Amino acid sequence: MRVFSKGVAVLLAWLAAAASAAAQQTLSTMPVDAYLHEFRLGASFEGVGLDPDFYYLPTTVPLDRLHKLSFEALFRSPYPDLFRWIGSPKPTVGGALSLTGDTSWVFAGLTWQLPVLETPLFLEATVGATLHNGPLHDAAPGEAVYGCRSLLYVRGGIGYDIDEHWTASAYLEHGSHGRVCGTDNSGFHSVGLQIGYKF
């Protein structure tokens, strides 16, 4: 367990360093658009997904589960020529803040974006790590337990460029330790909707 947590901590530290590497000088002397690509705000619907053993895909939007605010910042790819061989991903940080005292989390990762032909649509995928404040092993009946404080994080989404600056996107995200920290591994699963502003 400790090895897993330390590994995730190292990954988070590396991702933070990758984000800061985009700056050749202090951020205070740089325009925002020199390092920040896009900032997003939105809402997430918890407990939504495709695996019936853990969660479900509803036929209607579960408004009673709309109790998290989501946010994220996508940074410009540091040294895009150097990292072109892996698709020049964008360092990304974000999270979901519970409005009801439930589990909240923050994440750091790398985001790949792919335009859909010559349309305003784009696909994206994020891989990284997350930290949460939910219960690890003991919880009330029916509540999720996470096993580790730090989890692996994956997300897939689709977006639309409304104009030069504004975007709308939807995503499905998942956090889990893959049973590395034992059998307590409810993880979290949610879909979200966001509005973004590109700098």
Side-chain angles (χ1 to χ4, degrees), residues 89-138:
K90 296 177 175 64
T92 306
V93 295
L97 177 65
S98 174
L99 302 179
T100 61
D102 200 357
T103 302
S104 299
W105 57 80
V106 294
F107 73 87
L110 296 175
T111 297
W112 285 262
Q113 294 181 321
L114 178 67
V116 179
L117 302 176
E118 299 297 324
T119 72
L121 292 170
F122 60 90
L123 303 176
E124 63 181 23
T126 301
V127 177
T130 182
L131 296 173
H132 67 89
N133 64 353
L136 300 184
H137 304 289
D138 299 315

Side-chain angles (χ1 to χ4, degrees), residues 13-190:
W14 183 87
L15 291 170
S20 65
Q24 297 287 334
Q25 50 189 325
T26 60
L27 298 183
S28 61
T29 62
M30 298 176 65
V32 172
D33 60 1
Y35 55 89
L36 184 59
H37 171 72
E38 184 177 357
F39 184 77
R40 298 173 179 174
L41 284 175
S44 65
F45 302 81
E46 191 178 8
V48 179
L50 301 176
D51 186 343
D53 290 337
F54 292 102
Y55 43 97
Y56 64 95
L57 185 65
T59 56
T60 59
V61 176
L63 293 179
D64 61 319
R65 293 170 177 260
L66 178 57
H67 57 274
K68 281 186 170 62
L69 294 179
S70 64
F71 58 93
E72 67 181 282
L74 288 81
F75 296 89
R76 298 193 181 280
S77 180
Y79 312 114
D81 292 336
L82 179 63
F83 293 106
R84 193 178 305 278
W85 64 280
I86 59 170
S88 298
K90 296 177 175 64
T92 306
V93 295
L97 177 65
S98 174
L99 302 179
T100 61
D102 200 357
T103 302
S104 299
W105 57 80
V106 294
F107 73 87
L110 296 175
T111 297
W112 285 262
Q113 294 181 321
L114 178 67
V116 179
L117 302 176
E118 299 297 324
T119 72
L121 292 170
F122 60 90
L123 303 176
E124 63 181 23
T126 301
V127 177
T130 182
L131 296 173
H132 67 89
N133 64 353
L136 300 184
H137 304 289
D138 299 315
E143 290 188 359
V145 289
Y146 300 93
C148 287
R149 185 61 61 199
S150 51
L151 306 172
L152 297 177
Y153 178 87
V154 293
R155 185 179 69 180
I158 185 170
Y160 183 86
D161 289 320
I162 299 172
D163 59 24
E164 181 182 357
H165 292 291
W166 293 96
T167 68
S169 58
Y171 61 86
L172 173 65
E173 65 182 345
H174 173 67
S176 170
H177 62 69
R179 300 189 183 276
V180 173
C181 299
T183 58
D184 290 333
N185 186 34
S186 301
F188 63 80
H189 338 270
S190 62

